[in-house]
Amino acid sequence: MIQDRKTVLITGVAGFIGRYVARYFAAQGWDVVGIDSSAPENAPLSGLRAYYPLRMPSPELAQIVASCAPTLCIHCAGRAAVSLSMTAPAPDFYANTVMTFELLDTLRLKAPECRFIFLSSAAVYGNPHSLPIDENHATIPLSPYGFHKLQSEQLCQEFSKIYHVPTASMRIFSAYGPGLRRQVLWDICQKAVLGQSVKLQGTGAESRDFVHALDIAHALMLVATAAPMAGEVYNLATGEEVKIVDLAGLVLKAVDYQGRLDFDGVIPTGTPLNWQADISKLVALGFTPAIGLEPGVKSFANWCKAELLGI
């Protein structure tokens, strides 16, 4: 258990998940130090003890770690676009695998007792042979992004086994929530709210396991304070499989869209077909998803309308 003064260093703090994590940990009484490549005016400065605009890798990282002496580091930084990784694998490799190594090695040298949580992805599984997927399922990525996330997990295991840096990796499935301006929920909302025809990729029978960013933040707190941190991995999801056609129905109802819903039948290269997580390993630490999909989608739709229409 983490005791005494609690300082969490969050990389990628200006990103979608990083913002939620920063707010959640600050509300729980932690000192939050943030790192991101964004300019300070684009960072969530409220609730942060300090913010460092930094593009990693950088020699300044060692100075920051030595200065703030974190008890926990949550690594939210990195590229998160499967399609971009397919066309430009090098930037994805450096932003994911290389950055993870640099961060772990800095902690090894400057804060070896700091707990390290890596935000991985369900993309490491590829197309699973059965559902739900537990953490022992074969990892067969379909994209450079998935391979680089898996390589980063292996780095966490390496530093845990060889250098005794306490680490854990979270395989996040389909994260969503207000603030997310990409992926399927945003795509549906944007098209419907702006009065366009709603035509989506795929057939609609593809499925995902959606988890709200607030539940992600809560799960990270549980792992930070209760997990063995011996290089293990955890699925982070709700355990519920949702077809994209059903998700679209919830979104279109929430925005009162009266038009047609169509699918183009094209599944982009690198995109898995169906996901559903077995979250029993995380549940054993005390995790229970708190935000159901229907109220979560409604909240997202209301935020999306305000963003797009200014109301």
Side-chain angles (χ1 to χ4, degrees):
M1 300 289 289
I2 296 178
Q3 299 176 348
D4 302 321
R5 188 175 183 87
K6 300 174 294 185
T7 299
V8 56
L9 175 65
I10 301 173
T11 67
V13 74
F16 167 61
I17 293 178
R19 289 175 182 269
Y20 276 88
V21 175
R23 286 194 296 265
Y24 188 88
F25 274 76
Q28 301 301 314
W30 287 63
D31 285 339
V32 180
V33 176
I35 292 175
D36 202 285
S37 59
S38 295
E41 58 267 24
N42 296 323
L45 299 180
S46 177
L48 297 188
R49 188 182 89 190
Y51 174 73
Y52 298 94
L54 188 70
R55 188 171 294 277
M56 296 190 292
S58 168
E60 294 179 42
L61 179 62
Q63 301 169 18
I64 294 169
V65 170
S67 174
C68 71
T71 45
L72 171 68
C73 176
I74 302 178
H75 185 28
C76 303
R79 285 164 67 98
V82 169
S83 58
L84 286 178
S85 79
M86 298 292 291
T87 57
D92 194 273
F93 174 74
Y94 283 99
N96 285 314
T97 309
V98 173
M99 189 188 302
T100 301
F101 175 84
E102 293 290 344
L103 188 52
L104 282 165
D105 201 42
T106 300
L107 292 175
R108 174 183 72 87
L109 296 170
K110 300 297 182 181
E113 296 183 2
C114 176
R115 292 185 159 213
F116 180 82
I117 301 178
F118 170 64
L119 269 56
S120 186
S121 168
V124 303
Y125 293 118
N127 275 321
H129 56 69
S130 62
L131 297 177
I133 314 162
D134 69 17
E135 290 86 353
N136 293 320
H137 192 284
T139 50
I140 311 174
L142 300 176
S143 65
Y145 169 77
F147 275 103
H148 299 155
K149 286 294 188 182
L150 185 58
Q151 290 165 6
S152 296
E153 288 185 12
Q154 292 169 339
L155 287 170
C156 290
Q157 294 167 5
E158 170 193 336
F159 275 77
S160 177
K161 181 177 181 179
I162 297 177
Y163 301 112
H164 308 295
V165 176
T167 72
S169 297
M170 312 298 293
R171 291 174 177 169
I172 299 174
F173 279 63
S174 296
Y176 78 101
L180 182 64
R181 294 177 176 84
R182 56 186 175 83
Q183 299 178 348
V184 64
L185 268 165
W186 172 256
D187 186 35
I188 300 169
C189 266
Q190 186 180 38
K191 290 174 179 176
V193 169
L194 296 179
Q196 303 172 10
S197 61
V198 179
K199 189 172 186 177
L200 306 177
Q201 292 180 325
T203 67
E206 297 79 27
S207 62
R208 293 292 183 265
D209 191 330
F210 292 91
V211 59
H212 197 281
L214 285 174
D215 282 329
I216 291 174
H218 174 57
L220 293 175
M221 177 68 77
L222 287 172
V223 170
T225 56
M229 304 290 284
E232 73 274 17
V233 299
Y234 298 91
N235 285 337
L236 179 42
T238 62
E240 300 292 331
E241 182 184 13
V242 180
K243 290 184 178 180
I244 299 303
V245 67
D246 295 330
L247 173 75
L250 288 176
V251 176
L252 298 181
K253 178 182 176 182
V255 299
D256 196 28
Y257 176 78
Q258 303 299 320
R260 285 174 51 87
L261 168 64
D262 295 304
F263 292 88
D264 65 11
V266 178
I267 300 172
T269 304
T271 302
L273 297 178
N274 302 102
W275 277 348
Q276 180 190 10
D278 179 335
I279 60 170
S280 55
K281 190 173 178 180
L282 194 56
V283 168
L285 294 181
F287 177 68
T288 301
I291 301 178
L293 185 63
E294 189 166 355
V297 164
K298 186 174 182 179
S299 172
F300 179 87
N302 289 336
W303 167 81
C304 187
K305 286 191 290 185
E307 284 290 296
L308 294 171
L309 303 177
I311 57 174

